[in-house]
Amino acid sequence: EAQVTQNPRYLITVTGKKLTVTCSQNMNHEYMSWYRQDPGLGLRQIYYSMNVEVTDKGDVPEGYKVSRKEKRNFPLILESPSPNQTSLYFCASSLSGQGVGNTIYFGEGSWLTVV
Amino acid sequence: QKEVEQDPGPLSVPEGAIVSLNCTYSNSAFQYFMWYRQYSRKGPELLMYTYSSGNKEDGRFTAQVDKSSKYISLFIRDSQPSDSATYLCAMSAGGGFKTIFGAGTRLFVKA
């Protein structure tokens, strides 16, 4: 089954404690990205990756890091989480970044609370 | 001004009603228009997409794009309680890699 798997699904952490949200896709997609979803603001892209070792900032990259060492994995790292990073996070993948055939597949989401 | 504007609702309708969901946008370069459906505590899933202007129909769902007005719509006929979800419009200029999402409209269909 084609899927994007992210973990953990739910996490409460304290300010400043580094954490990593893992993401893995089994569709051999080149393009992967991270979004955060906040009430009234919709989905905002944090970082994206067009292929292995190729990453770039999205609209709200501050406070986040990513890496793409393997095609299937795209972890999101919060080096020093702050309360304003409390949000619902989605990992997503697509075959490529272009065109209408570019269906974006989302993971189930990770609820992160920073206290 | 946001590139994509979408009324967050909530929108509450009785079962069987026709639902109209809308988005406006400002970037005339957008060519690909999509609707995603997101159930509670789930990730969004692609529902429909259209290229450029015109209509596209899929069962009870019709997507409509009016590029001259920079306005897109999703119509749901004979709405069902199972249609209760958040609907996000999304747009892309193609050529590039970024898809811009609306804030999502929360829909409740009452039995």
Side-chain angles (χ1 to χ4, degrees):
Chain A
E1 181 190 352
Q3 58 185 9
V4 178
T5 304
Q6 52 183 111
N7 283 294
R9 294 288 317 278
Y10 303 92
L11 179 65
I12 299 175
T13 190
V14 296
T15 299
K17 186 176 181 182
K18 179 180 178 179
L19 69 92
T20 299
V21 186
T22 63
C23 174
S24 180
Q25 51 93 3
N26 64 358
M27 295 168 278
N28 202 35
H29 284 167
E30 291 185 348
Y31 186 78
M32 297 185 73
S33 56
W34 277 101
Y35 294 85
R36 59 179 290 174
Q37 186 175 37
D38 302 287
L41 297 177
L43 284 164
R44 293 181 293 167
Q45 193 177 57
I46 301 170
Y47 268 95
Y48 64 93
S49 169
M50 289 179 277
N51 215 325
V52 176
E53 303 292 2
V54 181
T55 63
D56 208 347
K57 297 176 180 178
D59 298 312
V60 288
E62 293 78 21
Y64 305 94
K65 284 176 60 177
V66 293
S67 67
R68 187 93 180 271
K69 293 182 170 43
E70 303 166 281
K71 198 171 188 178
R72 63 182 291 126
N73 296 323
F74 190 45
L76 178 70
I77 303 158
L78 285 73
E79 293 272 2
S80 182
S82 62
N84 65 11
Q85 292 179 296
T86 293
S87 187
L88 174 57
Y89 291 86
F90 287 103
C91 181
S93 76
S94 56
L95 188 62
S96 70
Q98 300 186 26
V100 75
N102 175 31
T103 299
I104 300 174
Y105 295 85
F106 288 88
E108 297 265 272
S110 295
W111 290 87
L112 172 64
T113 300
V114 183
V115 298
Chain B
Q1 182 191 6
K2 292 180 183 177
E3 276 191 285
V4 178
E5 298 275 4
Q6 183 176 12
D7 187 338
L11 180 62
S12 184
V13 301
E15 183 176 358
I18 297 174
V19 176
S20 173
L21 303 168
N22 312 293
C23 288
T24 58
Y25 63 95
S26 58
N27 187 347
S28 58
F30 288 146
Q31 300 181 72
Y32 301 97
F33 304 91
M34 294 146 281
W35 287 94
Y36 282 78
R37 179 172 60 194
Q38 183 179 16
Y39 289 115
S40 181
R41 298 189 176 277
K42 296 288 187 181
E45 293 178 300
L46 182 66
L47 183 62
M48 292 191 72
Y49 67 82
T50 47
Y51 171 70
S52 193
S53 285
N55 292 359
K56 183 171 184 178
E57 188 173 318
D58 184 1
R60 296 184 294 110
F61 298 88
T62 299
Q64 195 171 77
V65 175
D66 181 349
K67 290 190 74 178
S68 62
S69 302
K70 296 191 178 67
Y71 188 88
I72 70 169
S73 301
L74 177 70
F75 298 97
I76 307 174
R77 290 183 299 280
D78 187 25
S79 56
Q80 303 294 309
S82 59
D83 295 327
S84 297
T86 297
Y87 291 81
L88 299 99
C89 62
M91 307 175 191
S92 170
F97 297 92
K98 183 178 287 188
T99 296
I100 307 297
F101 288 85
T105 299
R106 198 158 181 201
L107 172 67
F108 295 96
V109 181
K110 298 174 291 185

